[in-house]
Amino acid sequence: MRENRVRSIWRGGGVVLNGWLHVPSSFSAEVMAHAGWDSLTIDLQHGPPDMGSVIPMLQAISTTDVVPFARANWNDPGTIMKLLDAGCYGVICPMIEGREDAEAFVGACRYPPDGYRSYGPFRANLYGGPDYAGGANDAVVTMAMIETKEALEDLDGILDVPGLDAVFVGPSDLGQALGHGPGMDREEPEMVEAIGRIVGSARKKGLAAGIFTGSTEYAGRMIDEGFNFVNVSSDARLMADGAAAAASVLRDRRPS
Ligand code: 3PY
Ligand code: MG
C-alpha cells in the first residue's frame, strides 16, 4: 500500500507544511500540489468544494506525492466515509467537543474491529493500492479540531482516544469561544495560553499538533512552539494577496 508521507515525516521528527484548498478546481489543486507543500487539505467545511469537486481535485494532487487531506464539513460519518473512499489519507474534523465526539470521529475513519467505517474504497483502492483495506487503519491520519471551550475542558479526554493521531487548532472558532472574536495569528494572552496548552498536551502524549495560520511568520513561531503540522493561508487568499500586490505596484507606477 502507498505509504502516508505525513506519518513518515512525523516519525522522523519533522514538521508537515500543509496547504489549504478553498478553490473547487482541479487545476488550482494541481498548481498548489506543485508548489512544495507536504500535504494539501480540501476544505468541505467553509470552502466551496463539495463531493463533486473532491475527486478531480484528488486526481490533480495525485500528479505529485503530496498527501491528500480533507476537512469534513462536520463530525458526520457519512461524509467522512466518502472522503476516505475517494482516497483522502487524512481527515481533519471540525468542532470536536469532547471524548465522545472524538471516539465517533476516529471510529468513522477505521474499519472494524477498530471502528465502524463501512467497506467500499472505490478510489482509495486506486490511490492506495489493492491492499488498501488491510493497511488503511494504520495509514489514514485522524486530526480532531480543538476550537471550542468544551474541547479545552475535555482536552485530555480527547487526546486519550485510541486511534486519534493529532489535534488541529482553529484560531477563529477558538477565539469566538473565548470571547475574543474570530481571526488568525492570535496574540491575546488567553489565546496564547490555550494554544500553548493544546500543543504541549498533545505532544506530551505522543500526538501530532497542527494549527491554521495566516502568515509564514506566525507559522514559523508555531513550529518553534512545537507544532508539527502548520497550515499557512489558503489558495484563494494567496491568489488574492499576490494579485492585489501586483496590481497595486503597477497602479502606482502608471503615468497620471
Ligand atoms: C478556525 O479558525 O476556526 C478554523 O476552523 C480554521 O479554518
Ligand atoms: Mg473553525
Side-chain angles (χ1 to χ4, degrees), residues 129-151:
D131 51 349
Y132 172 82
N137 283 4
D138 291 329
V140 166
V141 167
T142 55
M143 295 188 95
M145 289 200 69
I146 306 296
E147 51 183 354
T148 62
K149 247 189 202 156
E150 291 78 3

Side-chain angles (χ1 to χ4, degrees), residues 20 45 71 145 147 170-173 184 212:
W20 203 258
Q45 187 192 16
R71 175 163 74 170
M145 289 200 69
E147 51 183 354
S172 276
D173 279 310
M184 299 290 136
F212 196 107

Side-chain angles (χ1 to χ4, degrees), residues 71-148:
R71 175 163 74 170
N73 55 350
W74 205 254
N75 193 2
D76 165 41
T79 310
I80 291 168
M81 176 188 67
K82 284 174 95 67
L83 290 169
L84 292 174
D85 286 348
C88 291
Y89 257 27
V91 178
I92 298 177
C93 186
M95 295 302 215
I96 294 291
E97 297 208 320
R99 186 183 175 95
E100 269 182 34
D101 281 358
E103 282 170 347
F105 164 50
V106 172
C109 296
R110 306 286 185 232
Y111 288 124
D114 299 343
Y116 58 92
R117 177 179 171 192
S118 169
Y119 182 79
F122 65 92
R123 182 176 175 273
N125 267 341
L126 303 177
Y127 176 72
D131 51 349
Y132 172 82
N137 283 4
D138 291 329
V140 166
V141 167
T142 55
M143 295 188 95
M145 289 200 69
I146 306 296
E147 51 183 354
T148 62

